Every structure is written in structure tokens, then in C-alpha cells.
Amino acid sequence: MASASSSLMLFAADSSSTARLVSFNTTNKLPNGVVQFKRFISPQFGLQNAKTIITHVSSPSSYSVASMVTEASAKVIDGKSVAKDIQGEITAEISRMKNEIGVVPGLAVILVGDRKDSATYVRNKKKSCESVGIKSYEVCLPQDSREEEVLEHISSFNNDPAVHGILVQLPLPSHMNEQNILNAVCIEKDVDGFHPLNIGRLAMRGREPLFVPCTPKGCIELLHRYNVDIKGKNAVVIGRSNIVGMPAALLLQREDATVSIIHSKTKNPEEITKQADIIIAAVGQPNMVRGSWIKPGAVLIDVGINPVEDSTRPRGYRLVGDICYEEACKIASAITPVPGGVGPMTIAMLLSNTLTSAKRIHNFN
């Protein structure tokens, strides 16, 4: 029991927003012994339709809670929808470029081996290129190809003025030196953003990379498009790969976030993650981040895409992220789904980088 003139802290939310801690002022007395709680709410993703909570006062100095709001869920950050908008913007720019200077951006993709997932990614990239007006060039080499063959194709594309972006599909076969191959891509056409000079510039204050790696760039773009404030916030990146984790941490730092990186040797990862306002999970472990890891109201970007067995699905499996969505959506303020979150943004950023490259090479504004 508490005084009717005190303040009360409750979790409150509606069906379209997350549960969160909210302060209510209980000093406003109404007739018939009813106290009306005044809400002070200014979260990133607001409680748009939160119910008013009213209590009946059993005496002037005490009250009991009569009702609570129903369980809530986080706002869905729809990467598929955002990617579609971006591709529309790219299509318009490519059309303008073609009409004004007669140039169509070109993207070359080199695939080595017969991995089904890599072949699917390349097929999707080619389809996306066609949808926005980018001309695609494709080289498919067998698994046992020599490294020199890959380097020869890269050299050819480096010297081809119709090609503005070169992408080597990873992973490469184990007998090839990935570093040598990625370093061979001309930095002006490194639309994947993996060239050491691009990464080095990304890491340095006051320097600008020609290109930013597509997946982490897509993560930050989602935060921007959903008006998530990054400056001064605590951000945690789970995973430190060269492809996602490390560049994502560098990008967040550039946005003036305070960044922590969780990796396999980190002690007490749950406690560190619990302090985060923003989490980017890119570790490749299904449902690793549980609800107990998450600070109420945090914004979650889930890069993971992991198959787990599911006999109810036609293929015998379903895809899940690194974050346990069912638990996280009840605590976070916003979260990306899997699939349909970061995945479509990766391809959209590749198309964007290719357009940027063509504009830069042809000095087109």
C-alpha cells in the first residue's frame, strides 16, 4: 500500500508497442474516491494507444491497482519495405543517369564453387540488378579452379569501363587466399567495401571510405530510416567478423555511439548486452540473445539467419535470427524480423554502392 500523493512506476504498453517502465503522478484526485494517473511517456517508439490506468482509493492515504495494460510487442523494423523504397530511388537515379549521359551502371559477380547458398545469393543479386536497371556480369568457376583464374577475371573487370562494381562471392574455397583475391579488386570498384584501404579509412576519424560493407551499412540505414537516435547511446555489437561485426562497430562509433563488442572470449556477455540501447547481433548462433539479455526499450538489429529443424515446414526447417524473437519482441521497442529484416537491405546497399561508383567514375552528380 502507498500514499495517494506518491508516484507509481508501472510497465505499460498497448498491442502495438513494447512494455516499458512508465512514471505516473497520482496526485490528481477525482470524485468518488478515484485517482487518475497522469502518464509521462516519451519513448523512441511511443505508446500510441496505451490505456489510462485508474485505481480506486480505499482510503485517502492508500490505493490498489485496478487494472494493467495487456502484453505488448515491439515495433517491427521492416527491412523488406525499406529496401523496396531504396531500390525505387536507385531506379530513378539510374534512369536519370542513362538519359543525361548515356551510362548504365554495371556490376560484376565472381562465384567460385557450387555452394547452394552462394548460388542463391548471386541469383538474387542478378535479379535485383535487373529490377533497378543495373547491367550484371557473372563469372561462375568450378570448385577446383586455380586462384590465378580468379585473379585474371578480377583484372579483366578492373580494366573494363562498363563495370563499375566487382563482387567476389564469399566464402571462397579453402585452397584460395581470400586476402589476395579481395586485395586484387580495384578500390574504386570495391562495392563490397572489403578492400583494406576502405576498411582502414572507415576506422580513421576524418577519413571517408569510398565504400562501406553492405550488411553493416544496411543496419545503420535501417536505424536512420526508423529515426532511431544513435548519438550518445550505448550500443553492443555481438560478433566481430570482418564482414559485419567489426565494420558495424566502426559505423556506430562514427555515429557517436559508445560501442562494446561481444565475442567468444567475452566474460559476462549477458550483463554487457543488458546495458545496450542498440544491439546489432551478427554471430550466427540461433536464438543466442534471450529476453533476459535485453534492456527494456532497446532497439534490436538481427543480422543472423540460421536454419533450425521444424517438421511442420515443407523444407523441414525454418529460419531464425541470433536473437530469440518471441522473447525479445516483448521487451524491445523495435526489432528486425528474420527473414525480412537485414537481408533485403544488404542487396539494396550493394545496388546503392554500385550506383555511387558509376556516378563517381563518370563525375555525375
Side-chain angles (χ1 to χ4, degrees):
M1 307 299 281
S3 169
S5 62
S6 65
S7 293
L8 175 66
M9 298 297 288
L10 293 175
F11 278 102
D14 71 350
S15 59
S16 63
S17 57
T18 185
R20 66 188 71 244
L21 203 59
V22 181
S23 175
F24 292 87
N25 185 314
T26 66
T27 58
N28 297 327
K29 294 184 179 181
L30 298 178
N32 302 321
V34 174
V35 174
Q36 181 180 25
F37 291 130
K38 182 179 178 182
R39 292 170 293 173
F40 296 94
I41 306 171
S42 57
Q44 183 73 49
F45 297 95
L47 305 183
Q48 298 170 351
N49 299 302
K51 298 176 183 177
T52 302
I53 298 179
I54 298 176
T55 65
H56 291 275
V57 179
S58 58
S59 72
S61 61
S62 63
Y63 60 78
S64 60
V65 176
S67 62
M68 291 292 289
V69 232
T70 56
E71 189 177 275
S73 59
K75 185 180 184 70
V76 175
I77 297 177
D78 189 347
K80 188 174 181 180
S81 175
V82 173
K84 184 177 180 180
D85 291 341
I86 292 171
Q87 290 187 27
E89 296 162 9
I90 292 170
T91 300
E93 276 297 281
I94 290 174
S95 178
R96 185 173 71 88
M97 191 175 188
K98 183 179 179 180
N99 291 336
E100 293 187 19
I101 63 172
V103 171
V104 173
L107 174 65
V109 179
I110 299 174
L111 173 65
V112 184
D114 54 3
R115 283 179 59 121
K116 289 184 179 180
D117 56 347
S118 292
T120 299
Y121 293 148
V122 169
R123 191 163 54 247
N124 289 340
K125 288 166 185 173
K126 183 177 181 180
K127 185 178 178 181
S128 296
C129 282
E130 293 171 353
S131 71
V132 299
I134 291 175
K135 187 172 182 180
S136 60
Y137 304 83
E138 186 179 326
V139 171
C140 296
L141 300 173
Q143 179 81 12
D144 59 356
S145 297
R146 293 178 298 109
E147 186 174 314
E148 289 73 22
E149 292 179 72
V150 180
L151 293 173
E152 287 172 6
H153 284 289
I154 290 174
S155 177
S156 176
F157 287 134
N158 281 340
N159 296 320
D160 188 343
V163 173
H164 304 97
I166 302 170
L167 182 151
V168 179
Q169 184 65 44
L170 302 177
L172 289 165
S174 58
H175 67 277
M176 293 187 179
N177 187 314
E178 183 178 293
Q179 183 174 328
N180 287 345
I181 289 173
L182 294 180
N183 288 357
V185 175
C186 171
I187 188 173
E188 289 82 9
K189 298 184 179 183
D190 173 41
V191 290
D192 245 351
F194 294 150
H195 194 286
L197 286 178
N198 274 323
I199 294 295
R201 289 174 177 176
L202 182 64
M204 298 175 69
R205 289 176 62 84
R207 301 291 183 91
E208 292 296 326
L210 294 180
F211 304 100
V212 172
C214 299
T215 298
K217 182 180 179 181
C219 294
I220 302 300
E221 185 68 19
L222 282 176
L223 294 175
H224 287 165
R225 298 235 174 186
Y226 274 80
N227 299 314
V228 176
D229 188 17
I230 304 174
K231 186 175 182 179
K233 296 301 177 69
N234 290 327
V236 165
V237 177
I238 304 176
R240 55 177 172 176
S241 71
N242 290 336
I243 295 174
V244 183
M246 181 269 293
L250 293 174
L251 285 170
L252 286 166
Q253 189 168 280
R254 279 180 166 251
E255 298 272 346
D256 295 320
T258 300
V259 184
S260 299
I261 300 175
I262 302 292
H263 51 78
S264 60
K265 302 297 188 292
T266 300
K267 296 180 180 179
N268 302 320
E270 179 178 344
E271 293 179 14
I272 297 171
T273 306
K274 249 178 164 175
Q275 306 303 313
D277 303 301
I278 299 167
I279 298 172
I280 296 180
V283 71
Q285 295 292 327
N287 296 322
M288 173 182 167
V289 180
R290 313 300 300 197
S292 61
W293 290 41
I294 299 165
K295 174 182 177 181
V299 177
L300 313 181
I301 306 295
D302 193 346
V303 181
I305 182 161
N306 311 292
V308 296
E309 289 185 11
D310 187 342
S311 59
T312 66
R313 301 296 177 92
R315 296 182 178 181
Y317 69 90
R318 59 189 170 89
L319 298 176
V320 301
D322 294 343
I323 299 171
C324 182
Y325 189 92
E326 291 76 12
E327 295 178 9
C329 70
K330 299 172 185 176
I331 302 165
S333 63
I335 185 172
T336 57
V338 176
V342 175
M345 291 297 294
T346 298
I347 292 180
M349 294 300 98
L350 174 64
L351 303 177
S352 175
N353 281 353
T354 302
L355 172 60
T356 297
S357 177
K359 283 184 170 184
R360 185 185 292 123
I361 289 171
H362 293 279
N363 197 27
F364 180 75
N365 295 319

